[in-house]
Amino acid sequence: MIVVMTAGATEEQVKKVEERLRGWGFDVHLSRGVARTILGAVGAQKDPSMAPMLEAMEGVEKVVHILTPYKLAGRQFKQEPTQLRIGEVVVGGPRVVVIAGPCAVESEEQILTTARAVKAAGADMLRGGAFKPRTSPYAFQGLEEEGLKLLAKARAETGLPIVTEVMNPRDVELVAAYADVIQIGARNMQNFTLLREVGRCKRPVLLKRGLAATIEEWLMAAEYILSEGNYEVILCERGIRTYETATRNTLDISAIPVIKHQSHLPIVVDPSHGTGKRQLILPMARAAVAAGADGIMVEVHPTPEKALSDGPQSLSLEEFAEMTAALRPVAVAVGRER
Amino acid sequence: MIVVMTAGATEEQVKKVEERLRGWGFDVHLSRGVARTILGAVGAQKDPSMAPMLEAMEGVEKVVHILTPYKLAGRQFKQEPTQLRIGEVVVGGPRVVVIAGPCAVESEEQILTTARAVKAAGADMLRGGAFKPRTSPYAFQGLEEEGLKLLAKARAETGLPIVTEVMNPRDVELVAAYADVIQIGARNMQNFTLLREVGRCKRPVLLKRGLAATIEEWLMAAEYILSEGNYEVILCERGIRTYETATRNTLDISAIPVIKHQSHLPIVVDPSHGTGKRQLILPMARAAVAAGADGIMVEVHPTPEKALSDGPQSLSLEEFAEMTAALRPVAVAVGRER
Amino acid sequence: MIVVMTAGATEEQVKKVEERLRGWGFDVHLSRGVARTILGAVGAQKDPSMAPMLEAMEGVEKVVHILTPYKLAGRQFKQEPTQLRIGEVVVGGPRVVVIAGPCAVESEEQILTTARAVKAAGADMLRGGAFKPRTSPYAFQGLEEEGLKLLAKARAETGLPIVTEVMNPRDVELVAAYADVIQIGARNMQNFTLLREVGRCKRPVLLKRGLAATIEEWLMAAEYILSEGNYEVILCERGIRTYETATRNTLDISAIPVIKHQSHLPIVVDPSHGTGKRQLILPMARAAVAAGADGIMVEVHPTPEKALSDGPQSLSLEEFAEMTAALRPVAVAVGRER
Amino acid sequence: MIVVMTAGATEEQVKKVEERLRGWGFDVHLSRGVARTILGAVGAQKDPSMAPMLEAMEGVEKVVHILTPYKLAGRQFKQEPTQLRIGEVVVGGPRVVVIAGPCAVESEEQILTTARAVKAAGADMLRGGAFKPRTSPYAFQGLEEEGLKLLAKARAETGLPIVTEVMNPRDVELVAAYADVIQIGARNMQNFTLLREVGRCKRPVLLKRGLAATIEEWLMAAEYILSEGNYEVILCERGIRTYETATRNTLDISAIPVIKHQSHLPIVVDPSHGTGKRQLILPMARAAVAAGADGIMVEVHPTPEKALSDGPQSLSLEEFAEMTAALRPVAVAVGRER
């Protein structure tokens, strides 16, 4: 931690900062420049509140952080990439995994038809929402437990592990009883109550990036889960909010190599939410794989024009089969399997 | 709702869209232009899923919305501005209200000292967090129920109504038992489970705008609360995320007149979170009042440099007294009371 | 300048950085922390290329800047606020100035009618574009020199100094021959050729903030002009690009106090471009004045619905008179004149 | 064009809009809904000023555009993709082209060494700046004509066509005399004077996307060039400005398939500026190729740690050779050549 004093900071103000740093157990390196006095605090920073406290002191211009605020999620804590085994699937290994299914579970026929088709086309896991976060209170909110049961039925028939979202801390136990992977949606990325709750549960968690979350905040959200003892976290990039309106969100492909550099956690990419448009899914899925993603999560529906949500960004069953076929050569081109 | 077909849309595709619209009970106006065919759907749109379903149909380029998606939160539902009575305070009336207090309740002495001082300086309500949403799992997370009790003690002594945040749906009842106004934080603006829960409770709700929420999404979040039967919602602008780094967030002052135009709900502004810097609070509070805000919510701490959170953006007790004095002439200049 | 080494940086890498810094004439403070080695470079940094050179060295994680990159535009170079005299108007003094006029000069009648009306309502300067930067090559591009002559005619009659835009370095001399203040538009804020050119001319410059410019980049653009010897620069905040679509841009009111803190240059605010909507101009103009702006620049047109550009954000002559009347009490409330 | 009236619009206001539309030669379809009256204007919209004029009329809520504002740049104007021949290179054909070279031309040795090495590694064109747009007036601004001569020398020796930037309309002729492709930098994307000037010149233009430009604005900038008669435009995505700070910009990979859908112009991607970090260049270059880019433009320097600009985002000669080798299998995987 480095404390930069203002140009007009007095000797006394510098001294007070120094004393405080020493009081917290830091070694202090004082450096008086032409224009600024700077204090370097050497030692482990135990409490994240220290920096804002220093910044609130008189004569302090800013505090510069040297270390990342996340520990367990970082590469320095764990050098080798984390591989998660979910049934027979390994996320974070050589194989680029594909997670597919409808935005929302709507009926037995819909989910079973989809499950069979995506299985046949090579999907590794089945996604589908039973609890749906919807911008409008008047929109379809999901089949709830009934939806979970239909997902379980689809798993029983196809063998595909299930990824499904939880929104309410009260439902974590229920969802965990059915799901193989619990999804935290983008809007709940900083729902810390929910993060702690899934951190205490024994299920892998797929953590979507918030609409306007920095990569650092995203890793801090993962840290909440890890710090509760659940080390099985998969990150999911799904597009960030920018000024551009040609796409629903701007899929941040560069987040993939940044995450690979900063963290040991696996990362998958959702080009459906990331673009909002069916015709962009294939090129963006290819881009994600080329950039090093560990997997793709994509919305698939037997009849997108009848989907109760996200139809415009859902692939039909045929389009999905074409997509998986088209991903394979790209995966191989970057040294992965598919 | 207007459906714009692609340039190459076939007769049959147009017909399918028309049939579907009629099937849903709309009158359809068909307009064939030089370059595009357009279908105007006249009638009430009951289900928000209709537009995405249409967009997923072949030959459809886009669907243009004519009406706002919010109903109860809109000016058309209720012309006159909503005024909320909280104890002796009226939010949304002629008086510009001031809500002040520490980011987090830290101790009895801290909250009582603050409460007395802000009361003396003219504050109308006391804020203070007992449950704190923190980016880091290692940071101070609040005193929880103990904090709520201290807030109640401060209210008992000063008479100031209390504004405090709830994060967990399970805690809504508990928080409502102590608070006069329940706060939904920016990170939970689209925590729909929580919104429904406070919608069912008999307490006014202060709903902060999400970090990257559009004004429309913000009003839709309010709609969740209103649609559950709780009509007492106060909106709170607290800065949005932009690329600018000179401030913590970009306080969107223009949201005030936009909200006044679109909605009947009162709006207050939080220049502490909106800027992140103590020296910017006064000018931005003045700007908010000049633009028509119904109130200001500001962080105040007896010793900002010892605050467990948000010290750099907290006013000292003296600075707060200066601020309230400086707000009055601006309020009067725009025809308000203070 | 502080150089932070990566966690795995070798002794040799640290040594190479140290040698380089010493070679450039810096004193070096070396600080070896638990997790990172840090080098503090003390001395004047003469060349902005040093930091990127260091960052490109092996073992370097990042370089932290201590000083602002602008010099002449900064408060440390000049403590007292700059006041510019333009005819009888002083920008940056006690009076909040008002600059008004049409987006584009369209005809003699249009500009003279407007000039007379805004003069009568208390405007201090007349604005009007003769060279127009338009998103579409097919849109009206301005009357060019003919427009400048009409502006001069309006000045002759009303005595109002003229503010008008230059886009082409070749036209600087021509525009300077007519204008009292030369405007650099938002899209040209980093047109460095043009900045240098107006820096060499003897006319005050009104420098609009770029659509996505940080405050630091904006001050660096001003630095280009100042460094050529032209010290008469007025900054103009006109809204930044964000994800919000309810307004054309997001008017960054907090830029006003930030600029006042960082720079000695005067700042005016353009609520017309900042919002894009007529009904938002008055509240945002009031907000700007309340936050400390030195002036307001606003679009006015005798018949906005016939304006060749920017009609929806232009005030009618009556609306402008109402606005100036409504600004006065706010200016007084914050200790200014109007 | 569709005109949506406000909820309270009067008969007379509707009538005035209708008359105006008819006066401009449109057929008008009037549609009276439950809540809103809507007017559909059928016919060719000749003047981009019509929509803002309508929006400025009383009783009008908004105008919805049906057609894109660009014509010559759009797919509807020209169905088949544009292929540009530059020497022996074809941009927009089956081969993914690679443009490489230093940010700035610094010396004969630097540019010749680089040119030979990138040629040997398979580059198709040489880039290098002689006129440099720099944020700071105190930074190296380029060797100007001397730099152009060195580029010509490098071309003479290696046969590589040259891509170099022009900033000043006055220099277009000079730059065109040396360059094979004239580059318009991101900061000048809406420097309309410069766009017109290169539109009149007989050289292909590489048009970088502005830092905060929408895809529509970018195509409108291309339209400026095309509308002057120069049809040889290459678009270059180089990252957009977002709130994320882990990367210098956010490289918008989804712009590639969007452009391919909307326009016939070829698009290349610059992962150097797009990320600002050397270690992200390879994965992002691969992503761009996988998403369908027609080429990659990348910064290469013999000694990045001594580069006068952009060292941290420049590849060394060895790294560049590795990159081109690693791109080939991805290009082949998506059906391209390399």
Side-chain angles (χ1 to χ4, degrees), chain A residues 96-330:
Chain A
V96 173
V97 302
V98 172
I99 307 169
C103 176
V105 180
E106 296 169 2
S107 70
E108 181 166 340
E109 196 198 329
Q110 174 237 27
I111 192 67
L112 287 183
T113 309
T114 309
R116 285 172 205 138
V118 301
K119 166 82 176 179
D124 300 286
M125 290 197 255
L126 177 68
R127 62 150 289 158
F131 298 93
K132 295 301 309 169
R134 303 302 299 276
T135 305
S136 168
Y138 311 121
F140 175 60
Q141 310 268 327
L143 296 181
E144 309 196 349
E145 192 171 357
E146 176 60 22
L148 296 174
K149 286 180 183 164
L150 294 177
L151 285 167
K153 202 161 184 175
R155 173 178 49 199
E157 189 184 317
T158 60
L160 293 174
I162 286 168
V163 182
T164 197
E165 181 166 356
V166 69
M167 293 168 61
N168 191 334
R170 285 191 190 103
D171 296 330
V172 169
E173 215 175 316
L174 175 72
V175 173
Y178 289 94
D180 298 284
V181 177
I182 298 180
Q183 178 178 320
I184 300 289
R187 284 168 185 76
N188 281 317
M189 194 204 82
Q190 289 194 318
N191 180 339
F192 302 118
T193 305
L194 191 60
L195 295 177
R196 285 199 183 284
E197 202 90 17
V198 298
R200 287 184 209 117
C201 117
K202 298 281 161 246
R203 279 275 172 263
V205 177
L206 184 140
L207 177 65
K208 288 199 147 190
R209 183 179 183 181
L211 272 80
T214 61
I215 290 174
E216 188 175 294
E217 289 169 338
W218 189 17
L219 288 173
M220 286 306 282
E223 191 83 6
Y224 260 91
I225 302 170
L226 300 171
S227 69
E228 292 289 336
N230 186 346
Y231 294 104
E232 302 200 307
V233 174
I234 303 164
L235 300 168
C236 179
E237 161 66 32
R238 46 76 71 206
I240 59 173
R241 183 157 274 182
T242 69
Y243 64 84
E244 177 61 69
T245 54
T247 43
R248 182 172 171 183
N249 295 288
T250 297
L251 193 63
D252 183 8
I253 293 288
S254 61
I256 304 165
V258 171
I259 285 289
K260 288 286 170 199
H261 190 255
Q262 311 270 75
S263 177
H264 53 85
L265 296 172
I267 176 171
V268 302
V269 171
D270 172 353
S272 299
H273 287 87
T275 64
K277 294 189 174 168
R278 199 182 305 165
Q279 73 268 26
L280 302 179
I281 293 177
L282 172 59
M284 295 311 286
R286 280 171 155 175
V289 171
D294 296 305
I296 298 296
M297 178 148 104
V298 69
E299 291 185 338
V300 178
H301 196 284
T303 47
E305 72 278 11
K306 291 184 183 162
L308 295 180
S309 57
D310 282 356
Q313 68 192 35
S314 296
L315 296 179
S316 66
L317 305 180
E318 297 71 35
E319 287 165 336
F320 176 71
E322 285 163 26
M323 188 201 81
T324 50
L327 279 187
R328 188 167 301 117
V330 178

Side-chain angles (χ1 to χ4, degrees), chain C residues 256-272:
Chain C
I256 304 166
V258 170
I259 285 289
K260 288 287 172 199
H261 189 255
Q262 312 271 73
S263 177
H264 53 86
L265 296 171
I267 176 170
V268 303
V269 170
D270 171 354
S272 299

Side-chain angles (χ1 to χ4, degrees), chain C residues 20 134 138 223-224 305, chain D residues 20 134 138 212 223-224 305:
Chain C
R20 196 163 197 186
R134 303 302 300 277
Y138 311 120
E223 189 85 6
Y224 260 90
E305 72 278 11
Chain D
R20 198 164 197 185
R134 302 302 300 276
Y138 310 120
E223 190 84 6
Y224 260 91
E305 71 279 9

Side-chain angles (χ1 to χ4, degrees), chain D residues 105-179:
Chain D
V105 180
E106 296 168 2
S107 70
E108 181 165 342
E109 197 199 329
Q110 175 240 24
I111 192 67
L112 287 182
T113 310
T114 308
R116 285 171 205 139
V118 301
K119 165 84 176 179
D124 300 286
M125 290 197 255
L126 178 67
R127 61 151 289 157
F131 298 92
K132 295 300 309 167
R134 302 302 300 276
T135 306
S136 168
Y138 310 120
F140 175 61
Q141 310 269 326
L143 296 181
E144 309 196 350
E145 191 171 358
E146 177 59 22
L148 296 173
K149 287 180 181 164
L150 294 177
L151 284 167
K153 202 161 184 175
R155 172 179 49 199
E157 191 186 316
T158 61
L160 293 174
I162 286 167
V163 183
T164 196
E165 180 166 356
V166 69
M167 293 169 60
N168 191 334
R170 284 191 191 102
D171 296 330
V172 169
E173 215 175 315
L174 175 72
V175 173
Y178 289 94

Side-chain angles (χ1 to χ4, degrees), chain A residues 20 49 56 134 136 138 141 168-169 187 190-193 212 217 223-224 241 278 305 308 312, chain B residues 20 49 52 56 134 138 141 168 170 187 190-193 196 212 217 220 223-224 241 278 305 308:
Chain A
R20 196 163 198 187
S49 307
R134 303 302 299 276
S136 168
Y138 311 121
Q141 310 268 327
N168 191 334
R187 284 168 185 76
Q190 289 194 318
N191 180 339
F192 302 118
T193 305
E217 289 169 338
E223 191 83 6
Y224 260 91
R241 183 157 274 182
R278 199 182 305 165
E305 72 278 11
L308 295 180
Chain B
R20 196 163 197 185
S49 307
R134 302 303 300 276
Y138 311 121
Q141 310 270 326
N168 191 335
R170 285 193 192 100
R187 284 167 186 76
Q190 290 194 319
N191 180 340
F192 301 116
T193 305
R196 286 201 184 282
E217 289 169 339
M220 286 307 282
E223 189 85 6
Y224 260 91
R241 182 155 275 180
R278 199 182 306 166
E305 72 279 10
L308 296 180

Side-chain angles (χ1 to χ4, degrees), chain C residues 20 49 56 134 136 138 141 168 187 190-193 196-197 212 217 223-224 241 278 305 308 312, chain D residues 20 49 52 56 134 138 141 168 170 187 190-193 212 217 220 223-224 241 278 305 308:
Chain C
R20 196 163 197 186
S49 307
R134 303 302 300 277
S136 168
Y138 311 120
Q141 310 269 326
N168 191 335
R187 284 168 185 76
Q190 290 194 318
N191 181 341
F192 302 117
T193 305
R196 285 200 184 282
E197 201 91 16
E217 288 168 340
E223 189 85 6
Y224 260 90
R241 182 156 276 181
R278 201 182 304 165
E305 72 278 11
L308 295 180
Chain D
R20 198 164 197 185
S49 307
R134 302 302 300 276
Y138 310 120
Q141 310 269 326
N168 191 334
R170 284 191 191 102
R187 285 169 185 74
Q190 290 193 318
N191 181 339
F192 302 117
T193 304
E217 288 169 339
M220 286 306 282
E223 190 84 6
Y224 260 91
R241 183 156 274 182
R278 200 181 305 165
E305 71 279 9
L308 296 179

